[in-house]
Amino acid sequence: MEITINRRLTRLRKTETLRNLFSETKLSVSDFVMPYFVVEGRNIKQPISSMPGIFRFSIDNLIKEMVEVKKLNIPAVLLFGISEKKNKIGSSAYNSNGIVQKAIKKIKQEFGTDIIVITDVCLCSYTEHGHCGILCPTVNVQRPTDFIVDNDATLDVLSKIALSHSEAGVDIVAPSAMADGQVKIIRETLDKNGFKDVAIMSYSAKYASNFYAPFREAVDSSPKFGDRKSYQMDFHNVKEAIREVEQDIKEGADIVMVKPALAYLDVIKTVKENFNIPVAAYNVSGEYSMVKSYCEKIQIEKNLVIEILTSIKRSGADIIISYWTKDVARWLKK
Ligand code: PBG
């Protein structure tokens, strides 16, 4: 029997060439940012057990990585420092001779404008207690209250960190402490000191997430007591993300971020639809490790990762921070 169907939606799916022609979302390496963990020392390339394929690099080896990054046309890297000199106020985070500051200088010296250097601006891997800010004077370590971090005391330190990164030559600073007013104070501090062109990518909608666990192993930044729920966002909320983003834009953010990405595609979409500003999505460590262990048994990493990253882009992300960035660059070349 002949069936007449006018609209056959499968017509445009018949071959790979057709599918490519009509694909609505295309991943491009030019949208990606590769995170790096930097440690003191020489000739270090230390595997991170919770994140297979990801390493802590000393600056000399980081520079070798940058040669590859450039060759792969990866536009940007996001640097995290691992500090050996932790204290209560995380002061090694703004040392002009600190690990991140030295790494920025070296990359900029060698690669100039070819690689965009972004830095995480936070205290958690520099404080001995592992929180993202200065603790309230009243905090009782045995019985921590919900009011762990002193928001306003933290702002001053965050602005010092951002300034020290700028003096070292950073292109974009990315405050991730979730302190109210952090974008404003950083913008003002940078402007006052002649760094009007250093951009701010704010971790605006950063949720208190269980997906950060592998990262915290990587940079040794787990809170020694309590959790981050009194400053990072509650994952039940999306309207609140709009308020966070709105506030950061008012304070001068150039790029806003949603983090994590995969379980938060609705948040990415909502932010994209409500604001006219570049949106970054952070495909975080737990998302990475989860897929890595799944793929130990079932060898579909490439296809699975492309599907995940495409969904992040499809939801509205303009740029994606991902530990798969180097792999993506290679896969897309072929
Ligand atoms: C620092 C920071 C964290 C991440 C990025 N910046 C950890 C945290 O908030 O505990 C997580 C990144 C990842 O999981 O890949 N505050």
Side-chain angles (χ1 to χ4, degrees), residues 77-80 100 104 117-121 165 170 172-175 203:
V77 294
L78 171 59
L79 303 183
F80 294 94
V100 171
I104 301 168
V117 177
I118 311 175
T119 51
D120 189 79
V121 173
H165 291 178
V170 80
I172 303 175
V173 289
Y203 284 73

Side-chain angles (χ1 to χ4, degrees), residues 156-318:
D156 179 51
V157 187
L158 292 173
S159 68
K160 282 183 180 148
I161 301 173
L163 179 59
S164 73
H165 291 178
S166 302
E167 284 164 348
V170 80
D171 298 294
I172 303 175
V173 289
S176 73
M178 288 301 277
D180 284 323
Q182 60 181 6
V183 173
K184 180 170 188 273
I185 191 155
I186 289 174
R187 186 69 274 155
E188 284 173 2
T189 306
L190 298 189
D191 287 354
K192 254 191 275 170
N193 288 279
F195 297 106
K196 290 200 161 58
D197 289 332
V198 171
I200 299 176
M201 173 164 78
S202 182
Y203 284 73
S204 303
K206 176 176 179 179
Y207 287 85
S209 169
N210 299 291
F211 284 102
Y212 307 149
F215 171 94
R216 290 178 188 170
E217 187 209 306
V219 302
D220 181 27
S221 71
S222 291
K224 299 292 176 284
F225 59 87
D227 53 40
R228 303 209 201 290
K229 288 181 185 162
S230 65
Y231 42 102
Q232 298 182 345
M233 274 187 63
D234 182 342
F235 59 69
H236 300 88
N237 300 347
V238 63
K239 291 193 194 105
E240 189 186 356
I242 299 181
R243 297 202 293 278
E244 281 283 1
V245 168
E246 197 168 46
Q247 182 66 23
D248 281 357
I249 294 173
K250 266 192 207 147
E251 293 182 18
D254 302 283
I255 306 138
V256 295
M257 191 201 294
V258 175
K259 176 186 169 194
L262 191 51
Y264 296 81
L265 297 181
D266 59 322
V267 183
I268 298 173
K269 187 163 200 273
T270 303
V271 170
K272 192 63 201 170
E273 286 176 349
N274 279 279
F275 301 95
N276 180 13
I277 188 163
V279 177
Y282 200 143
N283 172 221
V284 299
S285 58
E287 299 171 47
Y288 176 83
S289 300
M290 203 164 64
V291 170
K292 280 282 180 185
S293 56
Y294 177 62
C295 292
E296 271 171 20
K297 292 181 211 101
I298 307 155
Q299 266 101 50
I300 50 162
E301 186 175 356
K302 175 184 165 184
N303 291 342
L304 179 54
V305 171
I306 294 280
E307 180 179 345
I308 290 172
L309 296 173
T310 302
S311 75
I312 294 171
K313 183 151 187 201
R314 193 185 64 229
S315 72
D318 297 291

